Amino acid sequence: MKKVSIIGAGLVGSLLAIYLTRRNYKVTLFERRGDMRKVGVAAGRSINLALSDRGIRALREVGIMQEIEKIAIPMYGRQMHNMDGSSPFQPYGKENQCIHSVSRGELNKQLMSLAEQHGARIVFNKPLQHIAFDERTLHFEDGSTETSDLIFGSDGAYAASRLSHQLQHNRFQYHQYYIDFGYKELHIPPGPNGSFQMEKNALHIWPRGNYMLIALPNPDGSFTCTLFFPFEGNPSFASLDTAEKARQFFNDTFSDASALMPSLEEDFMQNPTSSLVTVKCFPWIRQDYFALIGDAAHAIVPFFGQGMNCGFEDCAVLNELIDVHHEDWNQILQAYQTLRKPDGDAIADLALANFVEMRDKVAHPAFLLQKKIEAAFSERYPDQWTPAYSMVTFRPDLRYSEALHRGNHQESIMRKVMAMPDIENKWNSEEVHAFILQQIH
Amino acid sequence: MKKVSIIGAGLVGSLLAIYLTRRNYKVTLFERRGDMRKVGVAAGRSINLALSDRGIRALREVGIMQEIEKIAIPMYGRQMHNMDGSSPFQPYGKENQCIHSVSRGELNKQLMSLAEQHGARIVFNKPLQHIAFDERTLHFEDGSTETSDLIFGSDGAYAASRLSHQLQHNRFQYHQYYIDFGYKELHIPPGPNGSFQMEKNALHIWPRGNYMLIALPNPDGSFTCTLFFPFEGNPSFASLDTAEKARQFFNDTFSDASALMPSLEEDFMQNPTSSLVTVKCFPWIRQDYFALIGDAAHAIVPFFGQGMNCGFEDCAVLNELIDVHHEDWNQILQAYQTLRKPDGDAIADLALANFVEMRDKVAHPAFLLQKKIEAAFSERYPDQWTPAYSMVTFRPDLRYSEALHRGNHQESIMRKVMAMPDIENKWNSEEVHAFILQQIH
């Protein structure tokens, strides 16, 4: 029975522990923070996540989706809140296709408890100091050590495990890219008797060109809101430097949301402003005994709602490879890296591109028309066309890299379609469909 | 009189010291290594550099080019050594245009002595530990400290100053990219009476598709050779693991060079194999008191022969900005970064692309034909067309970013020209020139 150490008991580390304990590995998770089931989550950092099909598939695989479903709220599309007061609803996919709002904290607690129920041990308040790779030994900040057969680094975007790996590696490829935008969490409380003050089953977006506010529902009737906003310039986190300015700005810019935010002033001034980083690195593995997984291997921006889903998919892919390679970890880790590195790169690029879509394009009629054309064509020729968003979100059978590749090709076709004369009127015509069919082949 | 600390007394740091002492700044250079004028350069790391017009302009500006010229050998083009025994000569530019072979060690010694003559102080054996930016204070590994008004980090691709800057900076953009190739220095000794055993005034290249050998002349009649070679695979540094295999490989692959390398076996086994990194980062500066310069700001691969030239140009640009902004260092450093960051990025990309040109394309007839067409057209219409190599190498009036931009445009035109029917015969015809003219505008 191989001994496995997992650094970081976050979402991905906890799920990985479930996968491996089910295969009778002896798993210990080492978590830097305290047990959030006892000490609570840091205020203003609770953040909501959008669980979608790739993540769901990975949870189903180990039979825990029914547990998670209890804390998830389906969202069937984007509820826009435009400056002109209009609020069009844009479905994410076909009927019944949805993504799920879940609280990061609640989901993490559930996964930790499930990991323990499966036999994993979690050691809290155990920050990693460094890894002595030759001895396969973890050294913790408190001076203690742990030696194991297999080590996974699932300690997130700023992983200590990755830093240790990098510092002891020749010719390590490393890229970190911060966008000039940060985010801050805000809050819309429940209405009377735990009612929802806006549409419950939607992801709300206030697209404003260079920035945006979003809101995701919680089971208690509240919404967790996130403002994605420039660090510098006007307006920016730097320019809104008093509670009064923040309230005034919200009244002017997000008036319907502002009316539902009694604690805006305190939230805005007290909640941290966090940054958004993309990390790409290589290699992710060492021989038969070390791998980075989840954000530690490929931190991405949140605009495609895929960070967690991608990390969960890492676990599912790794699990399949254990069967394929009959527990030969040299081959398993090599195949894992070969398969997942291009997919991690692809979703990183897709996520960056989607920021512009969410904060700006969704507010433009041409964009909505394009989406309508794609949806209509895809409805009629489902084998010929799946919109890029749907490939990423609802088609776990397609790799991210394939979704990126096909999506780029489709986008180049749609650029030609949108340039057709009178496209506004003939958007759902035989002519347009014939043109698209011809372009595909 | 402002007190300036420069970290690293390499080529760029030493030249920067000359620029600043001439303006009556009180300059101290802190160098990690010992004084190479006394202790000598580490064996097998002497490496030759190609000094070209951008670097020369920066040296002229402070009146030291005549000193440097004494140790420089002009190279008027590439002397190819093909597998089939042919050895075409490809001029770098127009008649009399050349680049200069200089020994890194000799040049560095000269620049250090000139810096001291100008009044700079160099402290050797003084590795930087970290910078306390708030106090503008350097902390050295030996526990000593130094506080100054201005700090420059010119400590190279693996700069300790950059690491310190990065670790104390929010949202630092950082990219390091290693190619899968390393390099090893080899040696061709002088012939009888200090004669040159190959053409003296050329940069010799043995292009072999996936790898190459180059040789640059030294004043003593010897050539410094560099093998750029894959780390892994076959052939590679990993596969040539004995002196016998190395000699056999050289006999088979670089037969004319091999015959001139009596010490190949020792050189190959004893000289280090070095890696090749590209570093891009941002920001380069802090307010009015800190800037990265040279490789510390923008490490690039050596295939365009521009690493040193770019660093020297950094110094010249900075110097101009001191006048423009009347010693307002806040404005100077801001303008320096704004101007030079896109140029550093551009030459990094150009240098990576040139590796494929040097090791592979130069051996193909189509490439040589394309160069001939460009040269002929440029000769006839010098205001309309400067080949990309010439823009980078002989046109210091053009920014690297402009050279990259124009070069890409020209390359897209040349792709069309090369696809013209019967181009082999009509390459210097009115028809081709008319076509290019029309494409330019």
Side-chain angles (χ1 to χ4, degrees):
Chain A
M1 192 170 71
K2 267 189 196 285
K3 208 173 139 189
V4 180
S5 291
I6 298 177
I7 304 151
L11 299 168
V12 173
S14 300
L15 179 61
L16 179 62
I18 296 170
Y19 269 97
L20 294 177
T21 47
R22 285 167 54 96
R23 289 182 174 275
N24 288 317
Y25 287 88
K26 186 170 172 348
V27 177
T28 309
L29 288 145
F30 297 95
E31 169 57 39
R32 188 164 66 87
R33 300 188 182 84
D35 187 345
M36 58 164 73
R37 293 165 301 184
K38 295 176 187 151
V39 299
V41 181
R45 297 303 283 264
S46 61
I47 218 168
N48 280 49
L49 300 165
L51 177 63
S52 56
D53 287 14
R54 289 172 200 269
I56 290 170
R57 188 161 86 154
L59 295 173
R60 284 235 167 86
E61 185 68 30
V62 281
I64 58 175
M65 185 55 202
Q66 64 278 26
E67 279 306 305
I68 305 304
E69 219 149 23
K70 294 174 191 161
I71 57 169
I73 298 176
M75 302 182 288
Y76 294 93
R78 297 169 173 161
Q79 179 68 61
M80 254 84 83
H81 298 253
N82 290 334
M83 268 305 260
D84 63 9
S86 66
S87 52
F89 177 80
Q90 188 192 336
Y92 277 129
K94 301 179 180 176
E95 214 178 342
N96 292 321
Q97 282 187 326
C98 65
I99 62 179
H100 300 80
S101 173
V102 289
S103 146
R104 170 191 280 274
E106 289 310 311
L107 180 56
N108 207 150
K109 289 178 197 171
Q110 285 261 17
L111 288 173
M112 288 194 300
S113 295
L114 289 165
E116 286 176 340
Q117 285 163 31
H118 279 79
R121 188 168 65 100
I122 311 182
V123 184
F124 293 98
N125 300 305
K126 205 76 179 174
L128 180 75
Q129 226 283 323
H130 72 279
I131 305 172
F133 285 101
D134 288 344
E135 294 94 42
R136 306 183 184 199
T137 298
L138 309 180
H139 290 252
F140 298 99
E141 286 190 1
D142 63 9
S144 64
T145 62
E146 177 86 10
T147 301
S148 33
D149 303 303
L150 258 170
I151 302 167
F152 289 94
S154 60
D155 42 348
Y158 302 96
S161 66
R162 187 185 61 227
L163 184 61
S164 200
H165 173 50
Q166 166 172 11
L167 291 174
Q168 297 172 66
H169 205 289
N170 282 329
R171 294 180 276 136
F172 191 70
Q173 312 290 15
Y174 183 74
H175 303 271
Q176 69 181 37
Y177 170 67
Y178 287 88
I179 59 173
D180 294 333
F181 297 77
Y183 68 91
K184 193 183 281 284
E185 190 179 303
L186 302 166
H187 185 66
I188 292 178
N193 307 316
S195 62
F196 287 85
Q197 301 200 67
M198 301 186 300
E199 168 59 42
K200 172 186 179 187
N201 294 113
L203 189 153
H204 295 261
I205 308 186
W206 290 257
R208 292 295 183 269
N210 192 40
Y211 51 90
M212 68 176 176
L213 178 71
I214 67 169
L216 280 79
N218 296 313
D220 69 355
S222 69
F223 288 85
T224 301
C225 307
T226 310
L227 176 67
F228 293 97
F229 209 50
F231 279 107
E232 307 287 337
N234 195 1
S236 70
F237 284 118
S239 77
L240 299 186
D241 54 357
T242 67
E244 295 69 34
K245 286 184 197 168
R247 173 62 81 183
Q248 188 61 52
F249 179 78
F250 269 68
N251 284 345
D252 296 344
T253 316
F254 310 114
S255 57
D256 56 339
S258 190
L260 302 176
M261 295 176 154
S263 61
L264 173 65
E265 285 85 350
E266 301 92 277
D267 293 347
F268 197 90
M269 299 311 286
Q270 281 162 28
N271 288 349
T273 304
S274 306
S275 53
L276 295 156
V277 71
T278 300
V279 173
K280 296 180 181 179
C281 68
F282 191 85
W284 291 359
I285 64 165
R286 285 175 182 250
Q287 297 162 44
D288 61 345
Y289 66 91
F290 176 73
L292 297 169
I293 191 165
D295 283 358
H298 46 68
I300 66 178
V301 293
F303 305 112
F304 225 121
Q306 287 293 318
M308 167 184 66
N309 291 290
C310 180
F312 285 0
E313 198 177 53
D314 287 345
C315 298
V317 168
L318 191 73
N319 182 56
E320 284 168 29
L321 292 170
I322 298 175
D323 287 330
V324 171
H325 296 290
H326 310 291
E327 315 226 357
D328 175 339
W329 281 92
N330 213 325
Q331 290 193 45
I332 294 164
L333 294 185
Q334 193 62 55
Y336 159 74
Q337 169 170 274
T338 303
L339 264 175
R340 293 301 284 174
K341 170 65 177 163
D343 289 338
D345 287 349
I347 190 59
D349 295 345
L350 284 160
L352 279 168
N354 219 45
F355 186 28
V356 182
E357 177 160 330
M358 284 181 83
R359 76 181 195 227
D360 193 6
K361 287 191 199 160
V362 292
H364 294 286
F367 175 84
L368 297 174
L369 174 61
Q370 178 175 330
K371 293 287 140 177
K372 258 174 37 180
I373 298 171
E374 287 191 67
F377 183 83
S378 170
E379 182 75 29
R380 183 164 166 195
Y381 299 101
D383 297 343
Q384 305 277 345
W385 192 286
T386 307
Y389 184 88
S390 295
M391 283 192 281
V392 170
T393 309
F394 303 123
R395 291 283 304 274
D397 57 312
L398 284 182
R399 293 176 59 184
Y400 285 122
S401 49
E402 178 68 15
L404 174 63
H405 178 71
R406 283 204 212 173
N408 285 344
H409 180 51
Q410 291 180 178
E411 186 60 28
S412 71
I413 295 174
M414 286 311 295
R415 235 172 274 144
K416 294 181 200 159
V417 170
M418 294 301 288
M420 290 171 86
D422 199 32
I423 185 67
E424 298 79 5
N425 294 312
K426 67 184 181 193
W427 64 271
N428 201 13
S429 64
E430 283 304 317
E431 182 193 343
V432 168
H433 289 184
F435 178 78
I436 298 176
L437 278 174
Q438 172 229 317
Q439 289 286 319
I440 294 175
H441 302 291
Chain B
M1 191 171 73
K2 269 190 197 281
K3 207 173 141 191
V4 180
S5 291
I6 298 177
I7 304 151
L11 300 167
V12 173
S14 299
L15 180 61
L16 179 63
I18 296 171
Y19 270 98
L20 294 176
T21 48
R22 284 166 55 95
R23 288 182 173 274
N24 287 317
Y25 288 88
K26 186 172 171 351
V27 177
T28 310
L29 288 145
F30 298 95
E31 169 56 40
R32 189 164 65 85
R33 298 189 182 83
D35 187 346
M36 58 165 74
R37 294 165 299 184
K38 295 174 188 152
V39 299
V41 181
R45 299 301 282 267
S46 60
I47 218 167
N48 279 48
L49 300 164
L51 177 64
S52 56
D53 286 15
R54 291 173 197 268
I56 290 170
R57 187 160 88 153
L59 295 173
R60 285 235 167 85
E61 185 67 29
V62 281
I64 57 174
M65 185 53 201
Q66 64 278 26
E67 279 306 305
I68 305 302
E69 220 149 22
K70 295 175 192 161
I71 56 168
I73 298 176
M75 301 182 287
Y76 295 93
R78 296 168 174 160
Q79 178 68 62
M80 253 86 80
H81 299 253
N82 290 333
M83 267 305 260
D84 62 8
S86 66
S87 52
F89 178 80
Q90 187 192 337
Y92 277 129
K94 300 177 183 179
E95 214 178 342
N96 291 323
Q97 283 187 325
C98 64
I99 61 179
H100 300 80
S101 172
V102 287
S103 143
R104 169 190 282 272
E106 289 310 311
L107 180 56
N108 206 149
K109 288 178 197 171
Q110 286 261 16
L111 287 172
M112 288 195 300
S113 295
L114 289 165
E116 286 176 340
Q117 284 162 33
H118 279 79
R121 188 167 64 98
I122 311 181
V123 185
F124 292 98
N125 300 306
K126 205 76 176 173
L128 180 75
Q129 225 284 321
H130 73 280
I131 305 173
F133 286 101
D134 289 344
E135 293 96 43
R136 304 184 185 202
T137 299
L138 309 181
H139 290 252
F140 298 99
E141 285 191 2
D142 62 10
S144 64
T145 63
E146 177 86 9
T147 302
S148 33
D149 303 303
L150 257 170
I151 301 166
F152 289 94
S154 60
D155 42 349
Y158 302 97
S161 66
R162 186 183 63 226
L163 184 62
S164 201
H165 173 49
Q166 167 172 9
L167 291 174
Q168 297 172 65
H169 205 289
N170 282 330
R171 293 181 276 134
F172 191 70
Q173 311 291 14
Y174 184 74
H175 303 272
Q176 68 180 39
Y177 170 67
Y178 286 88
I179 59 173
D180 294 332
F181 298 77
Y183 68 91
K184 191 183 284 283
E185 191 180 304
L186 301 167
H187 186 65
I188 292 179
N193 306 314
S195 63
F196 288 86
Q197 303 201 65
M198 302 186 297
E199 166 60 42
K200 172 186 179 186
N201 294 115
L203 190 153
H204 294 261
I205 308 186
W206 291 256
R208 294 295 182 267
N210 191 42
Y211 52 90
M212 66 177 177
L213 178 71
I214 67 169
L216 279 79
N218 296 312
D220 68 355
S222 69
F223 287 86
T224 301
C225 307
T226 310
L227 175 67
F228 295 96
F229 208 51
F231 278 108
E232 307 286 337
N234 194 3
S236 71
F237 284 118
S239 77
L240 299 186
D241 54 357
T242 67
E244 295 68 35
K245 286 185 198 168
R247 173 62 82 182
Q248 187 61 51
F249 178 77
F250 268 67
N251 284 345
D252 295 344
T253 318
F254 309 114
S255 56
D256 56 340
S258 190
L260 302 175
M261 295 177 154
S263 60
L264 173 66
E265 285 84 351
E266 302 91 278
D267 294 347
F268 197 90
M269 298 312 285
Q270 281 162 30
N271 288 351
T273 304
S274 305
S275 53
L276 295 157
V277 71
T278 300
V279 174
K280 296 181 180 177
C281 67
F282 191 85
W284 291 0
I285 64 164
R286 283 173 184 253
Q287 298 161 48
D288 63 345
Y289 67 91
F290 176 74
L292 296 170
I293 191 164
D295 284 357
H298 46 67
I300 67 179
V301 293
F303 304 111
F304 225 120
Q306 287 294 318
M308 167 185 66
N309 291 290
C310 179
F312 284 0
E313 198 178 52
D314 286 345
C315 298
V317 168
L318 190 75
N319 183 56
E320 285 168 29
L321 292 169
I322 298 174
D323 287 330
V324 172
H325 297 290
H326 310 292
E327 314 226 0
D328 175 341
W329 281 93
N330 212 324
Q331 290 192 44
I332 293 164
L333 294 185
Q334 192 63 56
Y336 159 74
Q337 169 171 275
T338 302
L339 265 175
R340 293 302 284 174
K341 169 66 177 162
D343 289 339
D345 287 349
I347 190 59
D349 296 345
L350 284 161
L352 278 169
N354 220 43
F355 186 28
V356 182
E357 178 161 329
M358 283 181 83
R359 74 180 197 230
D360 192 6
K361 288 190 198 158
V362 291
H364 295 285
F367 175 84
L368 298 174
L369 174 61
Q370 177 174 332
K371 293 289 140 177
K372 258 172 40 178
I373 297 171
E374 286 191 67
F377 183 83
S378 169
E379 183 75 27
R380 181 162 168 195
Y381 299 101
D383 298 343
Q384 306 277 345
W385 192 286
T386 307
Y389 183 88
S390 295
M391 284 192 281
V392 170
T393 309
F394 304 122
R395 290 285 303 274
D397 57 309
L398 283 182
R399 293 177 58 186
Y400 285 124
S401 49
E402 179 67 16
L404 174 63
H405 179 72
R406 284 204 211 172
N408 284 343
H409 180 51
Q410 291 180 175
E411 185 59 29
S412 72
I413 295 174
M414 286 311 296
R415 233 172 277 143
K416 292 180 200 158
V417 171
M418 293 300 289
M420 289 171 86
D422 198 31
I423 185 68
E424 298 80 6
N425 294 311
K426 68 185 181 194
W427 64 271
N428 201 10
S429 64
E430 282 304 317
E431 182 194 343
V432 168
H433 288 184
F435 177 78
I436 298 176
L437 279 174
Q438 172 228 317
Q439 290 286 319
I440 293 174
H441 302 291

